[in-house]
Amino acid sequence: MSRTAKIAAASALGGLLMALTIGITLREDRHVETVIVPADESAADPQTRDLRRCRTLTMPDSGCEAAWEEKRRRFYRREDRP
């Protein structure tokens, strides 16, 4: 293989790698923005609003504990029996 052919092959390979790198980089930059539309707060009951607020807290809160306990009680349909 002649010296010119080696240079041409190396240039072609380098160009191909550069094109692939640019293509991958541009593809990663494209992202789909997800738009979250909050539910109508006025239609929700107070317990739902409390639970939404509690999801964002990182510290324990007695109001949140009571709200989650009420949610569990409603979900499992438990009644407080002595």
Side-chain angles (χ1 to χ4, degrees), residues 43-72:
D45 62 326
Q47 183 188 18
T48 304
R49 271 186 263 129
D50 287 342
L51 292 175
R52 285 186 183 149
R53 180 186 63 83
C54 291
R55 284 185 204 146
T56 61
L57 297 179
T58 57
M59 300 294 293
D61 183 0
S62 61
C64 291
E65 297 289 332
W68 283 112
E69 184 57 38
E70 177 65 19
K71 176 72 173 179
R72 284 190 287 276

Side-chain angles (χ1 to χ4, degrees), residues 20-44:
L20 287 173
T21 304
I22 291 170
I24 290 171
T25 304
L26 292 177
R27 177 177 284 174
E28 289 176 359
D29 288 345
R30 289 187 220 150
H31 62 278
V32 177
E33 289 188 29
T34 304
V35 178
I36 299 174
V37 179
D40 186 15
E41 290 289 331
S42 63

Side-chain angles (χ1 to χ4, degrees), residues 78-82:
R78 289 189 302 206
E79 294 183 23
D80 296 326
R81 296 182 187 169

